[in-house]
Structures are given as C-alpha cells and as structure tokens.
Amino acid sequence: MIFLLLSLIILFFLELVLGSVAIPYPEIVRILTGQGSSHDSWIMIIYNFRLPKAMVGLCAGACLAIAGLFMQTLFRNPLAGPDVLGLSAGAGLGVAIVVLSAGTAGASSILGNLGFFGSVGIAIAASFGSGLVLLMILAVSKRVQNSMTLLILGLMFGYTANSFISILMHFALAERIQAYTIWSFGSFGGATWDQIQVLVLFAVLGLIYSISLIKHLNVLLLGDQYAESMGLDLIRTRNKIFIITAVLSGVVTAFCGPIGFIGISVPHLCRALFATANHCILIPACILLGACLALTADIIASVPGYSITLPLNAITSLIGAPVVIWIIFSKSRNGMEVSV
Amino acid sequence: MLADDKLQNVDQDQVHPEYATGFSVEYHEGYKVVTVTKPWRGSDESYTYVLVKPGVSPPHLGKGEEIITIPSERFVSLSSTYLPYLPILGITSSLKGVTNTNTVYTPEVMNLIQEGKVIDVSGGGSGMATGINLETLIDLNPDLVMTYATGQPEYDAHPKLQEAGIPVVLNAEYMEEDPLGRAEWIKFISVFFNREKEANAYFEKIKNEYQSLEKSVHFLNGTNPTVFVNNNWQGTWNMAGGQSYVAELLRDAGADYLWSDDTTTGSIPLDFEIVYDKGQNADYWLNPGTAMTLQELLGEDARYSEFTAVKSKKIYNNNARVNAGGGNDYWESGVAHPETVLKDLIKIFHPEIVSDHNLVYYRHLE
C-alpha cells in the first residue's frame, strides 16, 4: 500500500514534468513553489495544462477502479466493469446528440451561444445521458430480485443507446463524426479548472461514501440469499451501489470521454497483489492503483518529447490487458481460477 | 457545342494538367485515355479509363482498362466538390443525382434539386460513402458516376457500383495539396463531356488571377504576420500539416504559417500545450472549428483567451457560407475558386493590397 502511494506521488510529478513542450526540471520546481519562471508560457502550461490533466487523471483512475470493483462484487462477475450498466453508452448518446448536431447553422446558433459545444456542454450532455440510463436501471431494479438479470438488462440498455448513436452518426457530417470519434478516444486534457472542481468534488464525495459500503460489499460476496439472511436489505443496498457507480463513472465519462479497461482490470490486479477479497483493503488499493494506471497511460499517450498525441483509450488497454492476461495465466498455473 | 466527331488534336480541345499531379489524358484518333495515377493516399494502383463515342470500340484494351461512353448525359456526382464545375462547363442539365442534397451549396444544382430533376442518392443520410442508396442510383440509369476513394473498402462506393455494372470513375482532386492543382480537376471532369475548351478557358482565367495576387504579395516589404489554424478538441489540436492545402494557401497569401516546416500533407494531432507554446504570440488564428462568434469560441475552452490573436480579436473562420444542412461552401465553390479564397486571405493579412474586396468565405469572429 505504501509502495502504491509512493508510485502515485512519483507518477503525479512525472505527469507534470513530462510533456510535449520541454520544460527543464528546475524550472518546474520553481514554478510549483511559486517562484515564477523565465518563460511566462511555461507557468501557463504547468498550471493550466499539466496540473489539470494530472488532477483529472488521478480522479478518473480512482473513480473508474472503484466503480469497476463495485460492479464485479455486486454481480459476482469478473467481467463486469463500470460500463456494464450501459452508463457509458448513455453518456455517449448524450454527447452524440450535441456533437453531431454542431456545425449545422440552426444548432450552432442555439447550442453554440449556450456554450454547449464546449467541454461544459459536453459534460452536461454526458451526465444527462448516463443519468437517464441509471433511472431506467433503478426503475427496473425494484422488480427484479436476481442480480444477473439486471446485468443483462444493463447490457441491453447499452446496446440500445449505441444503436441510436449509430443512427445519429449515419446522418451526421463527416467532420462532426470525426469530432465524436475523438471524444470516444478519451482524454484527460479537455477539462479546465472550473470543471475540475466539479469532478474532484464528486470524486471525493463518492469515494468517501463508498467506504460506508464496505461491510455490505463483503457480505454480498457470499451470495444474495446469504446476504439477505444476514439481514441485508438487498434492493436498497443494490440501489446505493448503482447510484454511486453511476456518479463515479458518469462524472468521469462526462469530462474525459469513455476510458476503457481501468474499471475492469484494476480490481483484478488489486486482488492478486493483496491476495484478498476484503473490501477494507481493496477499496484503498483500487483508488491508488487506478490512479497510477491512469497517469501512466496518460504519460505514454502524450508521447513526451514529441508534439503528437495518442488516443488515451488505446493506451489504457495496451498497458492493462497484458497484465491481466499474465495474472490469469499465473493463477491457472497454481490451480486457481479467476474469481471476484 | 463541340462536334463529337472532332476528337482530334486541336489544341484548344485538349487538356493537359500543369499543376495537378493525379491524372493525365492522352488523345488518340477516335478515343481518349484518362489515367488517375494516385486515387487515394498510399494507393499503388492507377485507374485507366478509355473514353469512346457511342458504338465505337477502341482498338485495344489493356489489363484493367475500363470503357466509358462519352459524352455523359446522365451524370451522378457522389461528392459536392464536383458540382461548382458543372455550371462553368455548361453541363448542369446532365446531372441526375447527387448525395446529401441538404448540404449542396451550388445554386444551379439546388434549383434542379427543388424542381425534382436531380435526385438524392444517399442512403437517407449523409455519413460515409456507405450511405449510398444503390437502388435509387441504379434506377436513375446513370451513364457516368463520379466519386472519390479512400482505399478503405467499408467507405468506398466504387467496387459496389462496378459490380452493378454502372460506369464509375474515381476523382482524386482531394489528394492535390496545391490549390491550383486541386481546381485543375475541372479539366478531368471536362474530358467526360467533351468540354475541354471551356475547362481550359476557365482554368487559364483563375490561374492568372491567382498568380497575379501571389505576385502582388511577393513585392511587399516587411515581415509576414504569423498564423496558426484549427482548434483544440478534448485536449488534442489537429493542426494542418506544413504541406497541406491550407498551408499552401497561407504561404501564397503572404502569411508565416507556424507549422510551415512540417512535412505532412494531412493534419497532425498535437498536444494543446505545444500549440499554446508556439502560438501564444501569433498574430492571427484561422479556421477555429465550427464557432460562428467569439463568444461561442471562448465557450469551448476558456484557455483560448490566453492567445494574443484572441486578445487582439484577429480570428477568422472559413464558415461565412454555411447552409442549414451544414454544407460549407468553402469546401464546395471555394475549391473551384482558389483565387477568391486567396483574395480573402490577403484581405485578412494584407488588406492594403485588395482594399475593395469584401470577404466571401471568411467571417471575422467578433
């Protein structure tokens, strides 16, 4: 745990030090300690480009990892992640409606003057979309006892949202399709300070609240029937977990676009690292490791020293997938199977 | 009207590209051979078309050569960029189908669409080339379909059309990065209608205009204003490559494009911080996406306000002529009129040279 914390601190600094613009290390220290710099633009780059990006990456990684852990525990399914409820797809639909209509004269004058094509507008649209899917899930959840049924329903909501996105894309202008595609690549660099405050607030509140669920989560691992016999109000607990997952993953998707793989892979990594299923350990571990993975991916995606960038989403999968594969193989060699 | 039987070496009746590098035309007794050398980026195959009068068969057919009967009288255009040339060549009436009627800007074509004489052949939408309604297209019974190819089978329409036995030719004007080279594809289109004479006359006119504008900028003393283009989207800034169409225009208009040294033709995805570092003190900012007003632009990202070009309000966008469907005339008639686009740019960078010109394709963001 200490090692994870140290790694996180180092990665956070690396995120500030490494970037396309080469800023000497002593200058960065001077800028961060408020002593100014010989280049005004460097101060601007550190404070308005890299620091926000690092903060967003940290929060996004932590939130997604926790959301993934909760989904895997709730559905007792090692393949579950924050996107199984269809929330990311819902967010994507909200964004598609706004982004794909941009550039047409009618939409531009109305939405544009509301500032809707900016990152704030995109965030609002995404939250709205994932919120709508969440309401549907909660409405259905009251009637469904079995968690596995809900998992299927969530996937179906996701497919439905995605098919609407396809239809919208079919009718959109080519350059707007490109804009939507870029959003779907994911990025920590699109958020500005006023939005980061919102993201950090939600992330901190969500993560604190998640600690209160530790006991429930541990009981859930033993099975729905057993949990109920222990006096757990299954539906209420389930709804709490849904809401927190929706807030955590929804707010990240809103500001960063869909970031793949962190949610599904980090819980597995933590279980392997700490050899435990106890959420008391897993929650802080997921927060730290999720943030580490997100920052690592972002540092690679910004290709330090070069001016080009790579799609963040591709990098998260590229560094996450081999690790998970390795864990699965090393576990099977020891006669163990992947579990939740 | 040119007589069809005069496909002979009369100079005015022949086109030969000077700037365009993507096609060539050979004239023979009774037929013409048109070759498209590089139909898309990274393509290693060329396309050869043998153009004959109705009922005439050419002496020999090489491998992969296709016969097209000309002049075309039932023409379908799968890109709006070919449309402005039709009125110029006097062949608008042969147009029977287009894609994305809601984004078409050329007035003569819009009238035909409203009269129902030109049909929309898109698959109901305006996405990629896959959005073509093949049945509507076949029903039109075209004798020539002109389209572009990307080399990606899922987007390209021409293999499907060839399968259906429809005469289809590939136009690769978008591969030309020289503005005059791109406009010179009017000659390519003219060949299929025996309108070479009109194409030559038109191209000569815009070439002279373009070059005299270019010269007038050349004689200026003093330093050129610095400029950067496009905008940030989700932290990535797609900057036009140093050898791209946009960069060529900026150079010819007497501006110092900050990414001039770059060697790519397409666009390069950059980190926002690099663009800020290099462009914070630039004099001008052009083509910043879809914004129609300065307020809209600043709403997209508050960090834009740090640019000197924003503080001094020297931002110009190429969307002065956008219709309700989102069609931008800069990419339609603007391609056929590089001299007008150049004049716009000179008006922005060196207004004293073209003081009586009012911006056509560009708007000043205020």
Side-chain angles (χ1 to χ4, degrees):
Chain A
M1 205 63 85
I2 298 292
F3 170 73
L4 280 182
L5 190 63
L6 281 176
S7 310
L8 181 58
I9 292 166
I10 290 166
L11 284 166
F12 192 87
F13 275 102
L14 279 178
E15 174 90 337
L16 296 181
V17 173
L18 299 171
S20 301
V21 178
I23 304 178
Y25 175 73
E27 284 279 351
I28 294 181
V29 175
R30 286 182 53 196
I31 292 168
L32 289 175
T33 51
Q35 298 171 55
S37 161
S38 50
H39 292 62
D40 279 353
S41 68
W42 287 351
I43 302 179
M44 166 81 185
I45 286 172
I46 295 290
Y47 276 111
N48 284 327
F49 290 86
R50 292 190 191 171
L51 204 56
K53 217 162 77 156
M55 298 279 284
V56 172
L58 186 116
C59 288
C63 290
L64 290 172
I66 291 292
L69 174 71
F70 284 8
M71 288 294 101
Q72 289 178 6
T73 298
L74 182 68
F75 294 124
R76 281 190 307 289
N77 184 328
L79 284 176
D83 48 0
V84 293
L85 292 178
L87 296 168
S88 305
L93 180 57
V95 171
I97 290 169
V98 170
V99 171
L100 296 177
S101 68
T104 53
S108 259
S109 53
I110 301 164
L111 292 171
N113 286 332
L114 291 171
F116 232 88
F117 296 139
S119 29
V120 182
I122 301 293
I124 294 172
S127 316
F128 204 81
S130 55
L132 207 65
V133 174
L134 177 72
L135 285 177
M136 287 198 279
I137 300 252
L138 291 177
V140 177
S141 169
K142 286 199 178 72
R143 300 167 159 228
V144 178
Q145 276 298 329
N146 185 339
S147 293
M148 206 48 79
T149 315
L150 278 176
L151 182 72
I152 307 272
L153 284 170
L155 287 173
M156 291 303 133
F157 285 142
Y159 286 133
T160 313
N162 278 326
S163 45
F164 279 121
I165 294 173
S166 303
I167 292 171
L168 282 169
M169 284 178 87
H170 178 76
F171 286 98
L173 298 165
E175 58 265 34
R176 304 316 305 161
I177 294 175
Q178 195 194 7
Y180 180 78
T181 310
I182 292 173
W183 177 81
S184 71
F185 284 164
S187 161
F188 296 147
T192 48
W193 277 116
D194 33 356
Q195 298 152 46
I196 288 170
Q197 292 165 9
V198 178
L199 175 67
V200 171
L201 180 77
F202 274 103
V204 170
L205 287 179
L207 296 175
I208 289 173
Y209 183 69
S210 67
I211 292 168
S212 71
L213 291 171
I214 288 177
K215 217 166 76 191
H216 300 326
L217 288 160
N218 281 337
V219 172
L220 272 176
L221 284 178
L222 305 169
D224 288 359
Q225 276 90 4
Y226 188 83
E228 281 196 292
S229 69
M230 297 267 292
L232 185 79
D233 183 342
L234 189 66
I235 304 246
R236 260 194 68 184
T237 308
R238 210 160 60 182
N239 284 352
K240 275 185 192 166
I241 294 174
F242 280 155
I243 289 171
I244 196 137
T245 303
V247 168
L248 289 175
S249 65
V251 80
V252 172
T253 310
F255 291 121
C256 313
I259 307 283
F261 220 82
I262 292 180
I264 184 173
S265 64
V266 171
H268 289 296
L269 293 175
C270 290
R271 285 188 208 100
L273 266 178
F274 295 93
T276 177
N278 184 352
H279 287 79
C280 218
I281 309 255
L282 286 181
I283 286 181
C286 280
I287 290 174
L288 292 173
L289 191 63
C292 284
L293 193 66
L295 289 176
T296 308
D298 196 52
I299 290 168
I300 295 171
S302 70
V303 199
Y306 291 90
S307 50
I308 55 160
T309 60
L310 296 171
L312 179 63
N313 227 335
I315 307 295
T316 48
S317 305
L318 278 177
I319 56 177
V323 179
V324 173
I325 293 169
W326 174 73
I327 286 177
I328 290 171
F329 276 118
S330 62
K331 272 192 166 179
S332 350
R333 268 209 310 271
N334 305 335
M336 287 157 57
E337 287 304 319
V338 174
S339 62
V340 172
Chain B
M1 196 53 208
L2 275 170
D4 286 347
D5 49 21
K6 267 185 143 173
L7 285 178
Q8 288 154 1
N9 299 354
V10 186
D11 242 9
Q12 268 309 302
D13 297 349
Q14 294 195 1
V15 289
H16 295 289
E18 305 167 62
Y19 294 83
T21 54
F23 74 93
S24 61
V25 187
E26 288 170 29
Y27 290 84
H28 300 272
E29 191 69 44
Y31 66 100
K32 317 177 206 179
V33 178
V34 182
T35 308
V36 179
T37 43
K38 217 177 161 58
W40 59 81
R41 269 181 235 290
S43 158
D44 50 5
E45 51 182 324
S46 60
Y47 281 67
T48 306
Y49 307 103
V50 180
L51 281 48
V52 297
K53 286 184 295 182
V56 176
S57 57
H60 65 88
L61 258 195
K63 194 174 166 293
E65 292 181 353
E66 286 174 70
I67 298 187
I68 308 271
T69 308
I70 58 163
S72 164
E73 283 160 1
R74 301 190 61 77
F75 177 59
V76 173
S77 166
L78 299 187
S79 164
S80 59
T81 48
Y82 319 144
L83 302 178
Y85 300 120
L86 306 181
I88 295 166
L89 297 171
I91 49 176
T92 321
S93 58
S94 48
L95 181 71
K96 300 300 169 209
V98 291
T99 47
N100 319 328
T101 43
N102 58 338
T103 61
V104 169
Y105 218 101
T106 306
E108 294 84 348
V109 175
M110 272 169 58
N111 291 342
L112 289 178
I113 292 168
Q114 271 156 6
E115 290 166 19
K117 289 176 180 161
V118 168
I119 308 294
D120 191 343
V121 295
S122 14
S126 55
M128 303 295 183
T130 44
I132 286 168
N133 189 329
L134 206 57
E135 294 188 11
T136 315
L137 185 57
I138 293 172
D139 196 42
L140 274 178
N141 192 21
D143 56 15
L144 180 66
V145 176
M146 192 171 284
T147 184
Y148 57 93
T150 61
Q152 298 167 332
E154 66 270 30
Y155 293 144
D156 289 349
H158 65 281
K160 225 174 177 177
L161 296 173
Q162 280 165 332
E163 251 172 52
I166 296 171
V168 54
V169 296
L170 292 183
N171 178 320
E173 64 166 15
Y174 80 98
M175 297 279 295
E176 306 282 349
E177 301 300 350
D178 182 274
L180 282 174
R182 202 174 280 198
E184 200 172 10
W185 281 73
I186 186 174
K187 294 180 178 176
F188 176 83
I189 296 173
S190 73
V191 170
F192 295 89
F193 297 88
N194 298 329
R195 293 293 169 113
E196 282 94 335
K197 201 171 169 177
E198 288 82 349
N200 280 328
Y202 174 78
F203 187 73
E204 210 54 33
K205 193 172 98 233
I206 63 163
K207 182 182 80 178
N208 293 336
E209 229 172 295
Y210 192 98
Q211 286 175 336
S212 73
L213 282 166
E214 219 182 333
K215 275 200 192 82
S216 61
V217 172
H218 242 1
F219 292 131
L220 284 176
N221 300 322
T223 52
N224 286 341
T226 48
V227 60
F228 63 98
V229 297
N230 299 355
N231 62 331
N232 153 69
W233 172 245
Q234 301 290 322
T236 297
W237 194 301
N238 272 319
M239 190 64 70
Q243 302 302 317
S244 67
Y245 179 77
V246 171
E248 298 284 348
L249 277 163
L250 292 173
R251 261 194 291 274
D252 293 345
D256 177 7
Y257 179 45
L258 291 176
W259 273 266
S260 231
D261 303 340
D262 172 77
T263 53
T264 47
T265 49
S267 66
I268 29 179
L270 299 175
D271 248 335
F272 192 168
E273 65 176 51
I274 276 273
V275 179
Y276 173 75
D277 193 50
K278 210 168 176 175
Q280 56 173 331
N281 296 321
D283 301 313
Y284 288 90
W285 178 8
L286 262 60
N287 312 350
T290 55
M292 305 247 180
T293 62
L294 187 58
Q295 183 201 349
E296 197 181 318
L297 183 65
L298 293 178
E300 286 174 22
D301 198 315
R303 290 174 287 197
Y304 288 159
S305 57
E306 299 288 332
F307 285 111
T308 304
V310 176
K311 289 173 186 157
S312 56
K313 300 206 171 153
K314 287 184 171 170
I315 311 169
Y316 292 84
N317 206 352
N318 56 3
N319 60 357
R321 293 161 68 87
V322 172
N323 64 14
N328 187 348
D329 201 29
Y330 175 85
W331 296 114
E332 194 163 319
S333 76
V335 176
H337 287 284
E339 81 291 358
T340 310
V341 175
L342 185 68
K343 214 168 187 173
D344 267 6
L345 292 170
I346 294 173
K347 174 84 183 183
I348 291 167
F349 300 127
H350 307 285
E352 67 280 5
I353 298 182
V354 287
S355 49
D356 56 347
H357 176 73
N358 293 322
L359 293 181
V360 178
Y361 298 105
Y362 273 89
R363 75 164 71 224
H364 181 213
L365 293 197
E366 295 170 86

